[in-house]
Amino acid sequence: MLIRKRSWGLLCTRSPVEVLKNKYLDINTYQYRTTISVNTSNNLIFDNYINRVFGLGNKTYEHYNKVAIYVDKRLEELGATRVFELGLGDDDANIEDDFITWKDRFWPAVCDNFGIEGSGEEVLIRQFRLLEHNDVQLDRIYTGEVARLHSLQNQRPPFDAKNPFLAPILINRELHKGGNRSCMHIELNIEGSKMRYDAGDHVAMYPINDKDLVEKLGLLCNADLDLVFSLINTDTDSSKKHPFPCPTTYRTALTHYLEIAAIPRTHILKELAEYCSDENDKQFLRSMASITPEGKEKYQSWVQDACRNIVHILEDINSCKPSIDHVCELLPRLQPRYYSISSSSKLYPTKVHITAVLVQYKTPTGRLNKGVATTYLKAKNPEEGEVKVPVFIRKSQFRLPTKPEIPIVMVGPGTGVAPFRGFIQERQHLRDEGKQVGESILYFGCRKKSEDFIYEEELEEYVEKGTLTLKTAFSRDQEKKIYVTHLLEQDADLLWRVLGENNGHFYICGDAKNMAVDVRNILVKILKTKGNMSEPDAVQYLKKMEAQKRYSADVWS
């Protein structure tokens, strides 16, 4: 019997709270497979009749795959039959590789459990069929809208992820004073949108891909980019009729809807291999898509370490000529980019400020890779005429204390200072109104004071007014590098006074993988030494701070 290996789908969604309380988790009636989503680092896939769970998580975060581990245990307690071991995917490494490795051992276990004889052959199946349009009316063609046709021309609230607001850019100025890097301060006009935000929220922006990259991909696929087409789901029961808004042109799809600058996952390489006319090229791509140690090493070095996107892969493997419609099916959807808002609505109710570093780097192959969103923003110069970007607001739990007299400590190196700029603006506004405001301490770090000390004049003005205590670390201004973590270690007495004695709030924004972990470890050490706590008690104290919203992190990896 041939087993058709289709991709995992989302057939049903339950609230994680409902599942964990066992309101719906009935192994006799719960149907087929379900996806539960708590947040981006806590997702899972499971089947009720047999216990097979694969969790999607990120080891950078504290509660790595906690939901998957819990549900796996709960299914076992409820009497589910275990067919295969719990799988844990780590998005900080290669989550697709984790899943494929787990899946390829999982299927034989399923065959054994049900007495099915597998053929050992894997069939690659197109999920969407191509329909080319020759006579579709122009006003029925999507030109970049996220969901509703003509939503970018006929704007109407409420504005959200499926209906972004076209916000005019009022200011786009350079923050760096030297060096070869760029950091932008951007001000968006949201007047009339009815969108509201608080300091600590995020603004999401839909970017578009680089036009040169789009043209290159079209040439490599021998495609007419202006051809109008639709991709239609072959599963008629699926609620997802198209992978992106259709009908549209290939140019629009590659520009607005698909991640063409991302590093392709291994399943894409497996599909591309079938388009190689050269057998060596075909085997090379297949080997990188395999789960063998040699294949994984090739993929790591040739694709990931070399930062090759799909354009680079097709440029370097000349015999690979995929159809453009299949490429559009394979590539992931272009996602909005989120930025911590760097302003306070108390001062700027109709404006949203963004602080963003331009992403550009040379790859080992000698190519120049550019960040999709920041390259798009860098070109938006309001001095040359009106420019707009599609945005929406995402609410956050990253909040100032409800009582302004409570002291706060903020750790935000580089652009991690963004939300704290809004915090400080808000606290200055409260002071100007005559209200009592607690101590505000900011730990800021960058490479060189003369080059990338962003918002230097503003921050120093807040210091002069008595609103802010500023602690700075300029890592490359002396022979031995100094980071904000070094300053925190030196300020153990200060931090204990604010956090331990005065019940202050602690905030951190920036790199989750290294900086945030180091900061947390330093706090545990300070709690042990200055608070006379044991290691478990210090860790528990931090957890209690998190539960009380006194320890908050806005971090990314």
Side-chain angles (χ1 to χ4, degrees):
M1 176 178 178
L2 180 65
I3 295 179
R4 183 173 287 184
K5 299 183 181 179
R6 297 198 67 160
S7 60
W8 288 76
L10 313 186
L11 301 189
C12 178
T13 300
R14 297 291 192 205
S15 158
V17 175
E18 291 170 338
V19 172
L20 298 186
K21 287 182 177 179
N22 196 25
K23 285 184 70 177
Y24 291 102
L25 195 51
D26 179 347
I27 62 169
N28 295 313
T29 60
Y30 206 69
Q31 295 300 308
Y32 198 37
R33 59 182 179 265
T34 301
T35 293
I36 299 173
S37 177
V38 180
N39 55 43
T40 54
S41 62
N42 278 307
N43 302 300
L44 57 105
I45 302 169
F46 73 93
D47 187 304
N48 70 292
Y49 296 114
I50 56 177
N51 188 358
R52 58 190 193 216
V53 179
F54 184 85
L56 312 180
N58 189 310
K59 280 185 177 176
T60 300
Y61 299 93
E62 180 186 2
H63 303 292
Y64 171 62
N65 267 315
K66 188 173 182 179
V67 173
I69 293 167
Y70 182 92
V71 172
D72 179 74
K73 179 182 176 183
R74 190 76 181 110
L75 284 169
E76 200 163 50
E77 291 171 350
L78 291 169
T81 301
R82 179 177 295 283
V83 171
F84 196 60
E85 65 191 37
L86 168 66
L88 300 178
D90 179 18
D91 196 40
D92 190 46
N94 187 340
I95 199 167
E96 186 193 30
D97 181 56
D98 294 336
F99 177 69
I100 290 173
T101 302
W102 178 86
K103 174 178 68 73
D104 285 354
R105 291 184 295 125
F106 155 78
W107 279 111
V110 172
C111 290
D112 290 343
N113 184 80
F114 291 103
I116 299 171
E117 184 179 348
S119 69
E121 178 186 353
E122 184 171 357
V123 178
L124 300 177
I125 302 173
R126 290 285 299 267
Q127 186 179 354
F128 298 91
R129 65 178 177 87
L130 172 65
L131 175 63
E132 294 183 347
H133 302 277
N134 297 316
D135 56 356
V136 64
Q137 295 180 359
L138 290 178
D139 64 350
R140 306 309 300 168
I141 300 172
Y142 283 88
T143 58
E145 300 92 334
V146 179
R148 178 174 59 86
L149 192 64
H150 305 310
S151 62
L152 297 179
Q153 290 78 31
N154 303 317
Q155 293 256 283
R156 60 173 183 260
F159 295 105
D160 53 27
K162 291 188 176 182
N163 182 35
F165 174 68
L166 273 178
I169 294 180
L170 301 175
I171 293 175
N172 187 347
R173 65 180 172 88
E174 179 61 46
L175 288 174
H176 283 179
K177 302 166 187 173
N180 56 4
R181 297 184 305 143
S182 171
C183 183
M184 296 167 282
H185 171 82
I186 296 169
E187 297 185 13
L188 306 173
N189 184 0
I190 61 170
E191 187 172 7
S193 68
K194 297 185 179 179
M195 293 193 298
R196 302 288 181 266
Y197 75 95
D198 294 300
D201 285 342
H202 301 109
V203 60
M205 187 267 297
Y206 281 100
I208 64 171
N209 287 308
D210 182 80
K211 291 180 180 179
D212 291 339
L213 211 57
V214 170
E215 290 289 345
K216 283 183 181 179
L217 187 51
L219 287 172
L220 289 164
C221 294
N222 297 318
D224 177 2
L225 292 180
D226 296 316
L227 190 69
V228 180
F229 76 108
S230 292
L231 288 179
I232 302 171
N233 202 326
T234 56
D235 182 358
T236 56
D237 294 329
S238 175
S239 60
K240 185 179 181 182
K241 189 175 180 181
H242 310 288
F244 43 77
C246 292
T248 189
T249 65
Y250 288 116
R251 187 184 307 280
T252 297
L254 297 177
T255 302
H256 292 272
Y257 298 138
L258 298 167
E259 290 275 12
I260 65 174
I263 305 300
R265 299 291 196 180
T266 54
H267 76 275
I268 295 179
L269 303 186
K270 184 181 293 186
E271 302 271 2
L272 290 178
E274 302 308 309
Y275 290 96
C276 291
S277 56
D278 184 283
E279 190 63 28
N280 290 330
D281 288 345
K282 180 180 291 188
Q283 292 306 319
F284 179 63
L285 285 174
R286 281 180 172 175
S287 69
M288 287 192 294
S290 72
I291 62 171
T292 64
E294 297 79 14
K296 290 180 181 180
E297 186 177 341
K298 280 184 186 177
Y299 175 78
Q300 180 67 40
S301 62
W302 199 81
V303 179
Q304 287 197 310
D305 294 346
C307 302
R308 280 183 168 93
N309 58 40
I310 185 135
V311 172
H312 304 153
I313 289 171
L314 295 181
E315 283 178 335
D316 292 343
I317 300 184
N318 295 323
S319 79
C320 187
K321 300 294 180 183
S323 63
I324 190 67
D325 62 286
H326 200 180
V327 169
C328 289
E329 177 179 332
L330 291 173
L331 292 176
R333 184 78 182 262
L334 185 63
Q335 298 297 315
R337 272 46 174 183
Y338 293 89
Y339 297 92
S340 297
I341 295 175
S342 56
S343 56
S344 167
S345 58
K346 298 288 191 298
L347 270 72
Y348 303 100
T350 61
K351 295 180 184 178
V352 167
H353 295 186
I354 295 175
T355 307
V357 168
L358 179 66
V359 177
Q360 285 189 350
Y361 59 94
K362 274 288 184 69
T363 74
T365 63
R367 296 176 168 103
L368 179 66
N369 277 6
K370 302 176 182 180
V372 176
T374 54
T375 301
Y376 171 61
L377 286 172
K378 186 68 175 178
K380 296 286 185 179
N381 185 0
E383 294 181 1
E384 297 176 358
E386 186 179 56
V387 285
K388 298 180 178 181
V389 290
V391 300
F392 62 93
I393 302 295
R394 183 177 71 177
K395 305 304 287 184
S396 168
Q397 297 299 314
F398 204 68
R399 288 283 182 267
L400 278 167
T402 52
K403 297 179 180 179
E405 63 270 19
I406 293 176
I408 62 173
V409 176
M410 302 165 284
V411 181
T415 54
V417 76
F420 303 135
R421 182 172 179 263
F423 281 11
I424 298 164
Q425 286 177 357
E426 193 149 316
R427 291 208 137 189
Q428 181 65 59
H429 177 73
L430 292 171
R431 288 191 72 209
D432 292 342
E433 290 183 336
K435 295 179 181 177
Q436 181 183 351
V437 175
E439 190 174 9
S440 303
I441 304 167
L442 171 65
Y443 288 85
F444 173 80
C446 62
R447 295 182 180 183
K448 294 185 177 183
K449 181 178 181 179
S450 62
E451 292 183 359
D452 53 352
F453 187 2
I454 60 177
Y455 300 119
E456 178 182 2
E457 293 78 12
E458 285 186 30
L459 295 175
E460 289 181 346
E461 185 177 342
Y462 291 127
V463 172
E464 291 175 6
K465 291 181 177 179
T467 302
L468 178 67
T469 299
L470 181 61
K471 307 273 187 173
T472 54
F474 306 111
S475 62
R476 302 187 183 183
D477 273 351
Q478 60 284 311
E479 186 176 347
K480 186 177 180 180
K481 291 184 179 180
I482 298 175
Y483 299 106
V484 291
T485 48
H486 296 122
L487 302 183
L488 290 168
E489 289 176 320
Q490 295 168 12
D491 287 346
D493 289 329
L494 170 64
L495 292 171
W496 173 249
R497 174 177 61 80
V498 173
L499 303 178
E501 296 176 358
N502 296 329
N503 294 317
H505 286 221
F506 188 90
Y507 301 90
I508 181 169
C509 182
D511 169 48
K513 190 172 183 180
N514 299 305
M515 187 269 295
V517 174
D518 292 341
V519 169
R520 191 180 183 93
N521 291 335
I522 290 168
L523 284 185
V524 169
K525 184 179 177 181
I526 291 172
L527 292 172
K528 286 169 58 180
T529 56
K530 299 301 177 181
N532 297 317
M533 301 179 192
S534 65
E535 178 96 16
D537 287 344
V539 171
Q540 191 58 40
Y541 188 91
L542 269 188
K543 289 183 181 294
K544 185 178 179 181
M545 285 182 64
E546 286 180 303
Q548 297 171 337
K549 306 296 183 185
R550 289 180 52 219
Y551 182 99
S552 301
D554 182 1
V555 294
W556 56 87
S557 61

